[in-house]
Amino acid sequence: RERERLLALVNESSEGRLYHQLTEQCERLEIDIEKLRALSMKIDERLRTRVKTARDWLKDMRKAPATTLDTSRFEQAIVDLDTTEVEHTSHALAELREAAEQLAQALRKAFATEADELRRTRAEHADLEAQLATLRSGLPPIPQPLLTVLNERLLHMAGQPAARSMRELCEVSDEAWREAIEVAFTEKFAVVVPEQHYAEALRHYHEIKPTAHGQRAAVESLIHPTRALASKAKVAKNTLAEKITTTDPIARAVIDELFGQVICVQRLADLEKHPSAILPDGLMLRGTTLARARHYDGIPFVGKGGLKRQLEIKFSQLIDLEARLRRLEPIEAEVQRLITEKDRQVPDHTDIASDLVRLEQLPARKTEHEAMMLKLKAMDADAFQTLEDQAHETKIQVEAWEEEKFEIAKKGGHREIEQSERTLSSRREEASKREDDYFRIRREIPTPNLERYHPWKAAMQERFLVPDAMAREFEKEERKAAEAAVRAESDLRVAMIEFKTTFAPKFDDLPEDGRTTAAYEKMLARIDGQGIPEFETKAAAEKTRWEQLFRTQVLSRMQQALKRVEDIIFLLNKQLKRPIGHDLYKVEKRNNPDYRFYRQLIDLNSLQQPDDLFFASMEGDLRTALDTFLKTLVENAHSPEAARLLDYRQYFDYDLIVTDVRDPSARPVSVDKQSGKMSGGENQSPYFVAILASYLHAYNRHEERKKEPSLALVPIDEAFSKLSGERIQDCLSAMQELDLQGVFSMSSGNIPFAFSLCDELIVVTKREERTGTKSRVRNVPSILFRDTPEGQEWMTKHAS
């Protein structure tokens, strides 16, 4: 009451209330002013950083390749931002960002010509690589839809394709007449099939539709084998037919018919001396017509020699394209880096704009605070302060009295309270146990038994009015029923065991404990009244269907996956074709002997027709392998054995082969066989290359590089721990050539060798700080960029 009276004295007068209000407002204003001052310091620091990063970006832009940019507007924007007042900062930031956007647009425009050339070069490079891959496999780099369809649909003979083109059956015996043959031999892509396949081939040729290849496809026709063999054309001396050799009789007949009377002449004046003649450039006179089918483009197709020459020509073209790419790609990378760095070094100003708006309130808050402080100083606050101090002391005394009062009251009845709490806890535990017993017994009683129990209980209540007598009668009936149940369960168990033994192992999954016959009754209901012959027919059809599914869904897909492994290894080796340091690396695969029979099954499945008796033809080890494969997939589909059988990678053993390019006579070294005999650096280099190959495959960079954007990030912990400086630089150069981006952690001793080929260096230093008796360790990162003056100075300092 005394405290309330003192506070009432303070608040009775208007001066007292005003004094408190002014005091609270001053305190709030002081807090706001401190926050705004801290915000002002933070904005100043951010603006200084913004000016520094903008100047750094300007330095990089002045070094932009293959162009000269007008940077005057951006330079003035930096100066304005560095010298402007607070109220104009937002406008200066917007002007800086706009000038940066304009400068980036000018850079893109200046690089437009090189960008168009680079896009065209990449498209030509990708197309040329695809053509070279086709040529290396022995096929011409031009679609042959008719040949492809016939080889897919006609039965192969003696391991050879059923259909072959004239160009692959023929060879040019005199290269001096290669140009004439390539121009005049317009039927080089004509398709030849055996006589027994001609009727079916003609049907497919008639049904074939235009393909998506369009004009890129070869001009194909179909040779009539019977008529060709019956033609018996005569071949004169010094004809074009003599310049073409072949061992195929049909192809020989077609060549003789086309060119057996076409005389080879060297001069234009000699053309008219013969009924049919041809010049080395392909200009041909035949009867009354003098014509050239086309001008020779220098790309040969006839024979293996033609494809080999075409491979050499296109490989030379590929080298020229790669030289253009090496010239243009660094320019593109630098331009893209500068444009990307713009958003980091000259970011948008919206993040600072809201803070600048808040900072504009600082002068008004200071003025308001000064006015309130003048009002407070003009008031006589001594009397109010004295009364408040007395009220505060009274409050402390009252709180002490209240605590003492509570302790006194609590000591009087604490024993009775504790006893009541223990009793209540015991009753609650007993009630919970009773409730659990009730629900447990209710769950244990089956529903049919519960339905019989209620009328039985009503009948007992009519006979026995006393509950104890009724309970005793229930116990007698329970004992009788338990004895009968034991006997019935024993007889039923014996019958179940006898049934399963008779029909083993068909019904091994049925229970034999004698407790329930539900599974047997369900089986009986399913087969009772059904036609067994009909089931046998359905079973045979279902077996055939599952065998076909096994061939198409398992064996065929496994064959596709194994082919895909070969393609991936081929593409990876193509990426690894350049030496890394003094070593050339190649990925090799060998058939896993543990999966030999499974591979034979997969290969046989690809050769058999869909309606062949594939399963019936399997014998010996192949039959055992087939049964094991099926049994594992059916009975243990989720087992490790099934996973290994379906894992196409298990069908091969892989190795990395290393060749020293300095010694052509040296034998290639297997990493698997020699890893224990090589030094630490020799051991670690191949595994680094294997890691790069894995990431190439993971990011799909081994197929069509640079067509789609990809992160292509390679993080490696404790990299290059056993490599020499030269090997470290070789590995990093290989990563750059493969278009992969590396993030490495390494010891400080390897940094001087790696930093010259890296963009950024982050050095983490442990700093120990002591506060009193406690010690705290902080990890302090320091960032150094290679292209900055500091980075160049660091590399110069550590060059030794």
Side-chain angles (χ1 to χ4, degrees), residues 57-71 99-116 330-342:
W57 188 66
L58 178 60
K59 291 179 183 178
D60 289 344
M61 290 297 289
R62 286 171 176 166
K63 301 175 184 177
T67 183
T68 302
L69 300 175
D70 182 10
T71 61
E101 290 287 351
Q102 182 184 20
L103 196 56
Q105 291 287 347
L107 181 61
R108 286 193 186 97
K109 186 176 180 180
F111 181 64
T113 303
E114 288 81 358
D116 291 339
I331 300 176
E332 179 198 39
E334 181 63 17
V335 170
Q336 187 61 39
R337 185 188 71 80
L338 290 172
I339 294 174
T340 304
E341 284 292 303
K342 172 181 65 65

Side-chain angles (χ1 to χ4, degrees), residues 17 192 207 276 293 679 698:
R17 288 193 296 274
V192 177
E207 295 174 353
S276 296
S679 65

Side-chain angles (χ1 to χ4, degrees), residues 695 698-701 708-715 739-743:
Y695 277 105
Y699 291 122
N700 288 330
R701 305 292 284 174
E708 298 294 337
S710 173
L711 178 64
L713 189 64
V714 181
D739 287 339
L740 296 172
Q741 303 180 57
V743 177

Side-chain angles (χ1 to χ4, degrees), residues 362-639:
L362 181 58
R365 294 296 174 89
K366 288 182 177 179
T367 304
E368 186 179 357
H369 181 264
E370 292 172 358
M372 289 184 180
M373 290 301 296
L374 290 174
K375 291 181 180 180
L376 282 174
K377 290 178 181 179
M379 297 177 65
D380 183 12
D382 293 340
F384 303 126
Q385 190 64 42
T386 302
L387 290 174
E388 282 194 345
D389 292 343
Q390 294 177 3
H392 181 67
E393 293 176 357
T394 306
K395 178 184 177 182
I396 295 174
Q397 188 176 11
V398 168
E399 290 175 351
W401 287 346
E402 289 291 338
E403 185 177 355
E404 185 176 356
K405 174 183 175 181
F406 178 74
E407 290 294 331
I408 293 172
K410 188 170 67 173
K411 289 179 181 178
H414 70 280
R415 290 186 178 86
E416 292 79 0
I417 294 172
E418 291 175 356
Q419 182 62 33
S420 299
E421 288 178 348
R422 285 195 295 269
T423 304
L424 178 62
S425 176
S426 176
R427 296 291 188 270
R428 284 176 176 170
E429 290 179 1
E430 184 177 358
S432 178
K433 290 179 181 179
R434 296 284 181 91
E435 186 177 12
D436 293 342
D437 292 341
Y438 168 74
F439 284 112
R440 179 179 55 78
I441 294 173
R442 184 172 179 177
R443 286 193 302 270
E444 291 176 354
I445 298 177
T447 302
N449 296 347
L450 194 61
E451 293 175 354
R452 291 195 297 268
Y453 165 74
H454 290 296
W456 193 13
K457 179 180 179 182
M460 286 291 183
Q461 286 176 340
E462 291 180 0
R463 291 176 54 193
F464 304 98
L465 300 178
V466 181
D468 292 343
M470 185 171 59
R472 286 193 295 274
E473 189 65 24
F474 264 113
E475 291 175 355
K476 291 179 183 178
E477 294 296 331
E478 180 188 6
R479 286 193 293 272
K480 292 179 182 178
E483 293 173 359
V486 170
R487 288 194 298 272
E489 183 177 333
S490 176
D491 295 341
L492 192 57
R493 185 185 299 111
V494 172
M496 288 178 175
I497 294 174
E498 183 180 356
F499 175 79
K500 292 178 65 176
T501 303
T502 303
F503 298 100
K506 188 173 183 59
F507 299 102
D508 286 350
D509 57 334
L510 293 178
E512 58 182 38
D513 54 2
R515 293 182 177 276
T516 177
T517 60
Y520 293 86
E521 292 173 0
K522 184 177 180 180
M523 178 71 68
L524 180 62
R526 190 166 67 234
I527 66 174
D528 191 22
Q530 300 293 327
I532 300 301
E534 183 181 354
F535 273 107
E536 292 177 347
T537 303
K538 290 181 179 180
E542 190 68 13
K543 180 181 179 183
T544 303
R545 188 175 74 87
W546 278 102
E547 289 177 349
Q548 187 62 27
L549 284 175
F550 175 73
R551 292 187 62 185
T552 58
Q553 299 298 319
V554 178
L555 296 182
S556 296
R557 292 191 176 184
M558 287 295 291
Q559 183 191 23
Q560 296 172 5
L562 295 176
K563 181 63 171 63
R564 189 163 59 251
V565 170
E566 296 176 353
D567 293 341
I568 290 172
I569 291 177
F570 171 76
L571 293 171
L572 286 176
N573 284 332
K574 184 171 67 173
Q575 294 299 322
L576 296 174
K577 62 185 177 182
R578 297 185 183 90
I580 299 176
H582 301 301
D583 295 324
L584 187 65
Y585 295 89
K586 181 181 179 183
V587 181
E588 285 193 354
K589 65 171 182 61
R590 296 182 295 275
N591 292 336
N592 187 344
D594 296 337
Y595 291 81
R596 176 165 61 94
F597 296 116
Y598 300 119
R599 283 191 57 84
Q600 292 181 19
L601 286 176
I602 293 171
D603 294 337
L604 288 174
N605 176 68
S606 65
L607 298 176
Q608 296 283 351
Q609 295 296 324
D611 54 351
D612 284 348
L613 300 177
F614 175 74
F615 283 81
S617 63
M618 296 296 105
E619 296 179 353
D621 293 332
L622 289 178
R623 185 69 200 184
T624 303
L626 181 60
D627 293 340
T628 303
F629 207 148
L630 281 172
K631 184 176 180 181
T632 304
L633 295 183
V634 172
E635 298 180 1
N636 301 297
H638 302 290
S639 65

Side-chain angles (χ1 to χ4, degrees), residues 22-86:
L22 291 175
T23 304
E24 292 175 356
Q25 292 178 5
C26 284
E27 291 175 353
R28 287 197 297 270
L29 285 173
E30 288 173 356
I31 294 173
D32 290 346
I33 289 171
E34 288 300 324
K35 289 182 179 178
L36 290 174
R37 284 174 177 167
L39 180 62
S40 176
M41 295 175 64
K42 182 179 178 182
I43 291 176
D44 287 342
E45 181 63 27
R46 292 169 68 183
L47 290 177
R48 285 195 295 272
T49 302
R50 189 73 50 97
V51 170
K52 182 181 180 303
T53 56
R55 284 175 175 159
D56 292 341
W57 188 66
L58 178 60
K59 291 179 183 178
D60 289 344
M61 290 297 289
R62 286 171 176 166
K63 301 175 184 177
T67 183
T68 302
L69 300 175
D70 182 10
T71 61
S72 57
R73 181 183 175 187
F74 188 69
E75 294 173 5
Q76 185 60 42
I78 295 175
V79 174
D80 293 343
L81 179 62
D82 198 15
T83 59
T84 189
E85 299 295 333
V86 175

Side-chain angles (χ1 to χ4, degrees), residues 215-243:
Q215 297 180 352
R216 294 181 62 249
V219 179
E220 296 175 290
S221 55
L222 184 62
I223 301 297
H224 196 301
T226 305
R227 293 186 179 183
L229 293 173
S231 64
K232 304 299 182 181
K234 296 182 179 180
V235 180
K237 292 185 178 181
N238 195 29
T239 59
L240 193 63
E242 294 179 341
K243 312 298 182 183

Side-chain angles (χ1 to χ4, degrees), residues 69 158 169 202 251 265 329 448 507 509 526 551 571 645 653 665 674 695 703 774:
L69 300 175
L169 294 172
L202 179 61
V265 297
E329 284 179 343
F507 299 102
D509 57 334
R526 190 166 67 234
R551 292 187 62 185
L571 293 171
L645 284 176
D653 290 331
S665 62
Q674 299 295 327
Y695 277 105
E703 294 182 352
K774 294 183 178 180

Side-chain angles (χ1 to χ4, degrees), residues 710-757:
S710 173
L711 178 64
L713 189 64
V714 181
I716 303 180
D717 187 24
E718 294 296 335
F720 319 127
S721 58
K722 297 180 181 179
L723 296 185
S724 63
E726 182 182 1
R727 286 182 180 268
I728 291 173
Q729 293 179 343
D730 291 341
C731 291
L732 291 176
S733 299
M735 178 170 292
Q736 290 177 346
E737 290 183 4
L738 295 175
D739 287 339
L740 296 172
Q741 303 180 57
V743 177
F744 311 116
S745 73
M746 64 183 74
S747 61
S748 57
N750 291 335
I751 293 176
F753 303 107
F755 186 36
S756 61
L757 296 174

